[in-house]
Amino acid sequence: MSRVAAIDCGTNSIRLLIADSSVEASEKDGPGPLTDIVREMRVVRLGQGVDATGELAPEALERTFAATRDYAALIKEHGAGRVRFAATSATRDASNRQVFVDGIRELLGVQPEVISGDEEAALSFAGASSVLPATGKDPILVVDLGGGSTEFVVGDSSGVIAARSVDIGCVRLTERHLRSDPPTAAQIAAAEADVDAALDLAAQTVPLDRATAVVGVAGSITTITAHALGLSEYQPNRIHGASLDLETISDACTSLLEMTRDERAALPYMHPGRVDVIGAGALVWRRILARLSAVSNGAIRTAVSSEHDILDGIALSILDGQ
């Protein structure tokens, strides 16, 4: 067995996966399935204010460093041999990212990587597709809806066909537009205009109309799925692989978007760190699915949620020697 540690540091959360994988898998087939040892998530809101200021806030850096310090202790405790730390949208956008890079390197003993949007998309696809049923050569679309950006990647059993990262995410759009509680119609319309423009941009690179199925990953989408399912608590085993019709998902998105923050906070599956931004995440997911329904002429009628995403992709990339 080979034990690795992967850290995904996004705009809203920082997550750790310590996992084992068989080293006996053939080179052709790649690493064997991952077995979770530790899977943790902390909401640190690293991207606080980045859309407006272009800088990582000192208090956001400190929250992220505190979580990384705890993760370093867990990595040492569980004896992970190789570690990869990947930072995404908020860090890409920040003019003072070197402060972040230096702090993480000192705490963790590895060089953190500020990965491109294209690599983020490819890692998300690898993580999601690693646990999904084989789809043959029919292209699937994986959507990774994050805090600062959303990745669109179309691929099949042979890998990625096309990918694009665009700057729409739950934290970015909340800070930019959805400031009222609940948001006003004018704020919602402005946010939707940003999403539509981003979808136009993504479609220049990614053939959205070729996708025969869609898989959504990351916390906004899995929380929306929990809401649509009416769960009594956050249950990853119920959420992972759940296939829901687009109308059900759209209704769940509208419900979350129109709720007050106090109403969202009372939901039994809602993480406290998502209360203020899940409305924007719901708006983005609703708009994406409406576009996919339109460009597929109604052929795409359902969407699948996956609990496995870029974090799993980072771990697999370590085993692949990338």
Side-chain angles (χ1 to χ4, degrees):
M1 302 295 290
S2 178
R3 181 164 293 183
V4 299
I7 298 176
D8 164 39
C9 186
T11 300
N12 196 43
S13 64
I14 182 169
R15 299 180 300 150
L16 168 69
L17 171 61
I18 300 174
D20 287 340
S21 178
S22 172
V23 296
E24 297 176 356
S26 70
E27 184 176 338
K28 178 181 177 181
D29 292 338
L34 295 171
T35 301
D36 288 12
I37 305 301
V38 173
R39 191 181 285 262
E40 284 207 8
M41 186 270 287
R42 310 273 183 92
V43 173
V44 294
R45 195 64 59 83
L46 178 62
Q48 172 193 328
V50 169
D51 186 62
T53 68
E55 292 189 347
L56 298 168
E59 59 270 30
L61 283 167
E62 185 48 48
R63 291 193 298 267
T64 306
F65 291 157
T68 302
R69 193 174 293 112
D70 292 342
Y71 286 176
L74 285 169
I75 290 167
K76 182 178 180 181
E77 175 187 346
H78 292 279
R82 288 175 288 173
V83 181
R84 186 180 185 191
F85 185 112
T88 54
S89 178
T91 317
R92 284 197 298 267
D93 294 347
S95 60
N96 62 337
R97 59 182 164 270
Q98 195 58 46
V99 176
F100 167 83
V101 169
D102 292 344
I104 296 297
R105 185 176 56 241
E106 181 178 349
L107 289 168
L108 204 58
V110 299
Q111 180 73 13
E113 302 170 51
V114 182
I115 61 175
S116 69
D118 285 347
E119 184 172 6
E120 183 176 358
L123 289 169
S124 295
F125 183 82
S129 61
S130 69
V131 293
L132 293 174
T135 58
K137 294 188 177 299
D138 293 340
I140 64 170
L141 171 68
V142 171
V143 179
D144 183 348
L145 200 173
S149 66
T150 295
E151 284 65 50
F152 296 85
V153 52
V154 166
D156 56 23
S157 55
S158 62
V160 173
I161 296 170
R164 186 69 179 263
S165 176
V166 291
D167 286 339
I168 51 169
C170 61
V171 174
R172 191 185 297 273
L173 289 187
T174 298
E175 291 184 349
R176 186 182 292 178
H177 296 299
L178 306 186
R179 299 189 181 95
S180 298
D181 180 26
T184 65
Q187 291 170 350
I188 290 170
E192 287 180 334
D194 278 6
V195 177
D196 289 345
L199 283 166
D200 291 340
L201 192 62
Q204 293 176 12
T205 305
V206 179
L208 301 178
D209 57 344
R210 286 184 57 193
T212 60
V214 58
V215 178
V217 304
S220 284
I221 290 173
T222 57
T223 301
I224 293 163
T225 303
H227 187 58
L229 292 171
L231 299 182
S232 59
E233 60 181 349
Y234 192 91
Q235 297 174 276
N237 61 323
R238 290 281 308 279
I239 294 166
H240 180 66
S243 180
L244 299 173
D245 65 83
L246 300 192
E247 184 178 357
T248 297
I249 299 171
S250 180
D251 288 347
C253 289
T254 300
S255 171
L256 287 167
L257 178 59
E258 294 179 348
M259 282 182 179
T260 65
R261 292 178 181 176
D262 285 346
E263 288 171 334
R264 295 174 193 158
L267 298 172
Y269 38 78
M270 183 67 62
H271 190 286
R274 298 199 189 282
V275 167
D276 60 331
V277 296
I278 191 63
L283 180 150
V284 173
W285 191 219
R286 184 179 70 178
R287 207 67 173 177
I288 290 171
L289 294 179
R291 175 71 67 96
L292 292 174
S293 178
V295 300
S296 71
N297 294 316
I300 291 182
R301 299 176 182 176
T302 61
V304 177
S305 298
S306 174
E307 285 281 342
H308 297 268
D309 51 28
I310 186 175
L311 187 60
D312 303 75
I314 295 167
L316 291 167
S317 75
I318 302 171
L319 295 161
D320 277 336
Q322 297 176 1

